[in-house]
Amino acid sequence: DGLDPEQVPLGDRKNMAYSATLVAQGSGMGIAIATGDFTQIGTINRLVNNTETIKTDVLKQIDQVSKYLFICICTMCTATFFTAFFYTDTYSGDALGSINIALVCAVAMVPEGLEAIVTLTYSYAVKVMASQNAIVRALPAVETLGSVTVICSDKTGTLTQNIMSLTAFVTSNARYKNNVDATDRVPVNFVRDDTYLASRAQHDMKKTGKDIVADGPNNPAGRRGHNPSNHFTVDSLHATDNPDEATANAALPPDDGFPVKNGESPSREWIQSALSCGVLCSKCVLGEGGGRAGEIGNPTELSILRASYFAGIDIEELKNDAPIVAEVPFSSDYKFMATVHEPAKVDNCPDGKYVC
């Protein structure tokens, strides 16, 4: 639009990737156009290092008092020198003796306890704030906090943990419940349970505001479906006004025993074949030991990887056996992504074909 590239806001530079940032999803190739202090993070670092230290009001007042004391002491020293030199019998005409007397008076007038008094005042303020569960690192910050009258805060990002887990896997003939608190990498973390998420739920659409507040975090009653991993589950994704009708209409498919009977766990090979699509499409990175610390990527994709990992699937081996040869990135326009892979040996695909 005729603008200088430097005038375009950073958020609008859609074809740029910045140093010290992480790629959460997708792939691509780029050209490095800047390094070191010439990158955006380098510019921020340079600005931070060049930030001028601003003194608080108390420190400014102490500097002002110090200037007044300096002028007063210099005036008194000069007066003492001339008095001793001209009007005393002992030091009359003795310049060196008069200077000594003036310096002694100057040292005596310096308020050596001023710094200690200011420090004690700050320390007392810090103690009072600590009793109110507010701890500060720098003592002058106490004065700044004490001068605050309005605090504006933003709650963005504090309402969710950005964590998702795969709790259930539904096929055309069965439902499988996943143990999201599992620590062992075994297929038994998936158990066929055709009643799980099968009945319809009574939604809270007709609740009043008072009822919603009463059912909030201050309600001593336990939340339905809550487990130690901080995940909440519902019994269904469908709404109905009649709970009795919902139970009656929740018809379950017959247990055909494929691939396992109700209450049993499928094999690792079956789980791998069921989840391999989500694993192969993902470029996310799990944390060490399948944990959340250090993980990188989209929470939805990470939930599939984590479920596969704790089912005993070797994710890296699976990706190495079927490397990506083409990719259609996800877009909100067509709402899907696709990857094309070389056929894995276990797929028994004809030579020269690819699986997607």
Side-chain angles (χ1 to χ4, degrees):
D1 297 332
L3 293 177
D4 186 348
E6 295 294 335
Q7 296 177 321
V8 180
L10 298 182
D12 294 338
R13 302 179 187 180
K14 298 181 179 180
N15 59 340
M16 300 293 291
Y18 300 101
S19 175
T21 59
L22 298 176
V23 178
Q25 59 183 4
S27 62
M29 299 181 63
I31 300 175
I33 63 172
T35 59
D37 289 340
F38 298 99
T39 62
Q40 294 299 329
I41 190 68
T43 302
I44 295 173
N45 182 61
R46 186 172 63 253
L47 293 175
V48 170
N49 291 333
N50 295 334
T51 301
E52 181 181 357
T53 302
I54 301 177
K55 293 184 177 181
T56 62
D57 290 339
V58 169
L59 295 179
K60 292 180 180 179
Q61 293 175 7
I62 293 177
D63 291 342
Q64 191 71 16
V65 171
S66 299
K67 292 179 181 179
Y68 292 151
L69 287 175
F70 175 76
I71 296 174
C72 180
I73 291 173
C74 289
T75 303
M76 295 299 295
C77 286
T78 303
T80 302
F81 170 78
F82 285 111
T83 301
F85 187 79
F86 292 108
Y87 298 103
T88 61
D89 297 334
T90 305
Y91 299 102
S92 178
D94 185 2
L96 182 60
S98 299
I99 292 176
N100 289 335
I101 291 298
L103 292 177
V104 169
C105 292
V107 172
M109 286 185 288
V110 173
E112 298 178 357
L114 179 61
E115 182 179 357
I117 293 174
V118 173
T119 303
L120 288 175
T121 304
Y122 277 143
S123 300
Y124 176 76
V126 170
K127 180 181 178 182
V128 173
M129 295 186 66
S131 64
Q132 302 296 326
N133 298 325
I135 300 177
V136 294
R137 180 175 60 88
L139 293 180
V142 176
E143 180 201 356
T144 304
L145 292 175
S147 302
V148 172
T149 56
V150 178
I151 298 178
C152 300
S153 61
D154 183 8
K155 66 179 184 302
T156 302
T158 60
L159 302 180
T160 62
Q161 294 180 301
N162 199 29
I163 292 175
M164 297 185 69
S165 291
L166 191 152
T167 59
F169 186 83
V170 181
T171 64
S172 60
N173 68 322
R175 299 170 183 267
Y176 300 89
K177 183 177 181 180
N178 180 36
N179 181 13
V180 296
D181 299 316
T183 56
D184 298 328
R185 300 182 60 189
V186 289
V188 295
N189 292 327
F190 277 89
V191 178
R192 178 172 179 176
D193 184 358
D194 292 342
T195 63
Y196 190 59
L197 297 179
S199 59
R200 296 185 177 180
Q202 178 75 7
H203 281 218
D204 297 335
M205 296 180 61
K206 297 184 179 180
K207 275 190 173 183
T208 63
K210 181 178 179 180
D211 294 334
I212 294 175
V213 173
D215 193 36
N218 295 325
N219 187 357
R223 308 288 287 182
R224 182 181 56 154
H226 179 262
N227 56 52
S229 63
N230 291 324
H231 294 88
F232 294 85
T233 61
V234 296
D235 295 333
S236 176
L237 302 177
H238 307 283
T240 180
D241 294 331
N242 190 343
D244 297 333
E245 177 185 355
T247 304
N249 292 338
L252 300 179
D255 187 355
D256 54 9
F258 177 81
V260 293
K261 296 181 179 180
N262 200 33
E264 297 180 351
S265 298
S267 63
R268 185 185 65 83
E269 290 74 15
W270 187 90
I271 298 177
Q272 176 171 323
S273 64
L275 299 180
S276 59
C277 180
V279 173
L280 293 175
C281 283
S282 176
K283 293 185 178 180
C284 300
V285 179
L286 284 177
E288 183 178 358
R292 302 190 186 278
E295 64 184 10
I296 302 175
N298 182 279
T300 303
E301 297 182 20
L302 285 170
S303 66
I304 300 176
L305 289 182
R306 185 173 293 104
S308 304
Y309 177 85
F310 283 105
I313 298 175
D314 191 330
I315 296 176
E316 294 301 325
E317 180 181 358
L318 179 60
K319 290 185 176 182
N320 292 334
D321 289 342
I324 296 178
V325 295
E327 177 182 356
V328 178
F330 175 82
S331 172
S332 57
D333 295 332
Y334 44 77
K335 297 181 177 59
F336 78 89
M337 72 167 292
T339 55
V340 181
H341 303 259
E342 293 183 4
K345 298 178 180 179
V346 296
D347 291 334
N348 296 322
C349 295
D351 295 337
K353 300 295 183 179
Y354 298 94
V355 294
C356 179

